[in-house]
Amino acid sequence: MPLSPALITALADIETVFNGFASPGETGCGFCHVPEETAYLRTPYTRVPLDVVRYYLFEVPDHFDDHPAAMRRLLPQAARAMAEGTLGTVGYGAHGLSRVDWRSWPAEQVTAIDAFLHAWWQGTLTTPEPPYDIDDTFETCATIARTVTPFLEGWVQGPVADTHLAACTDTWLDDLLSDASPFTWWYDDSEDAGLADLRTWLAGPGAARLRTHGQPDLATRAELLALPYDERWAHPYWTSPSATN
């Protein structure tokens, strides 16, 4: 997708801040990777083949000697591939950054990652046909950041962004209305807070935007998220949808 000025700047910062990182003692997993692939993690300033970036980016942490170091090594190329849509796909596994405590890293690294996530999400929202499904991009951002708040608050106004909102809501609602999680790869303790924040936002500002966007049925179902579980399912909507929209 075309890169916004903010995303171009964020990628440049990622490439500067994480330039030259490596995991010098990395031996990797001999069952999953050949030695030539693992050698890239030990070697700074060398381009890593994109298929190797993709493989390591979604690999489980216990297949590394130093998982955080490996993620730092891959981050410049990984972030650019995510932004340009060349990573192949997202949403089929937990992103490596969601499995490391990157917020404990030095401030300039934390700031660079935060800025990238925000710019990538903003750019996706204004792209009619982004390279990855909008809900997969949201889940990737939220699970890496361990919060939904900046991505909900940053859901820009406009017909393209509102169409994406309708698509996400339609994907999420069945799970949310059943008090289940629509997020496949959110594994840590922040998920419960994220789900609560998502339900609150969708029942309020999200539903209002859906109604304005000409999606009254989605808006009504989103508003039901504000009700306790039993009241939600006893609501007249389920027997007379058209009368309650």
Side-chain angles (χ1 to χ4, degrees):
M1 69 183 188
L3 304 187
S4 68
L7 186 51
I8 291 171
T9 297
L11 287 172
D13 288 344
I14 287 280
E15 289 168 1
T16 298
V17 169
F18 290 94
N19 185 42
F21 276 92
S23 182
E26 190 62 57
T27 60
C29 172
F31 292 102
C32 299
H33 307 283
V34 298
E36 292 80 4
E37 293 173 338
T38 307
Y40 284 112
L41 300 179
R42 298 191 297 268
T43 310
Y45 308 111
T46 302
R47 297 289 296 177
V48 182
L50 191 54
D51 61 333
V52 178
V53 173
R54 184 185 306 115
Y55 201 153
Y56 277 127
L57 192 63
F58 295 96
E59 184 63 276
V60 295
D62 59 3
H63 283 200
F64 298 88
D65 298 298
D66 189 337
H67 188 226
M71 292 304 102
R72 287 186 176 99
R73 169 69 179 93
L74 297 172
L75 190 51
Q77 284 183 248
R80 181 161 293 279
M82 291 161 67
E84 294 178 347
T86 57
L87 191 59
T89 188
V90 297
Y92 65 87
H95 192 287
L97 283 179
S98 71
R99 299 177 184 263
V100 297
D101 185 17
W102 60 271
R103 291 198 180 277
S104 69
W105 296 354
E108 66 173 2
Q109 297 177 23
V110 174
T111 298
I113 294 172
D114 266 330
F116 165 70
L117 292 175
H118 180 76
W120 183 41
W121 175 241
Q122 292 284 302
T124 299
L125 284 178
T126 56
T127 302
E129 296 183 8
Y132 311 115
D133 289 344
I134 189 70
D135 57 305
D136 286 338
T137 303
F138 184 94
E139 182 172 356
T140 301
C141 289
T143 54
I144 291 173
R146 296 179 174 85
T147 176
V148 299
T149 301
F151 311 110
L152 296 176
E153 292 180 347
W155 208 307
V156 295
Q157 300 281 343
V160 174
D162 288 341
T163 297
H164 288 324
L165 174 58
C168 276
T169 304
D170 191 45
T171 298
W172 293 335
L173 268 179
D174 283 348
D175 285 324
L176 293 175
L177 286 167
S178 300
D179 282 348
S181 173
F183 302 125
T184 313
W185 308 110
W186 202 334
Y187 293 126
D188 61 60
D189 293 339
S190 61
E191 182 178 10
D192 287 345
L195 289 172
D197 290 342
L198 179 59
R199 284 192 292 266
T200 298
W201 189 85
L202 280 178
R209 285 181 58 173
L210 288 167
R211 202 172 293 282
T212 300
H213 186 56
Q215 297 284 347
D217 187 73
L218 277 177
T220 299
R221 283 189 285 146
E223 289 164 346
L224 296 179
L225 293 171
L227 300 177
Y229 185 88
D230 290 341
E231 293 181 30
R232 188 184 306 161
W233 290 105
H235 193 275
Y237 166 82
W238 302 110
T239 53
S240 302
S242 60
T244 54
N245 288 336

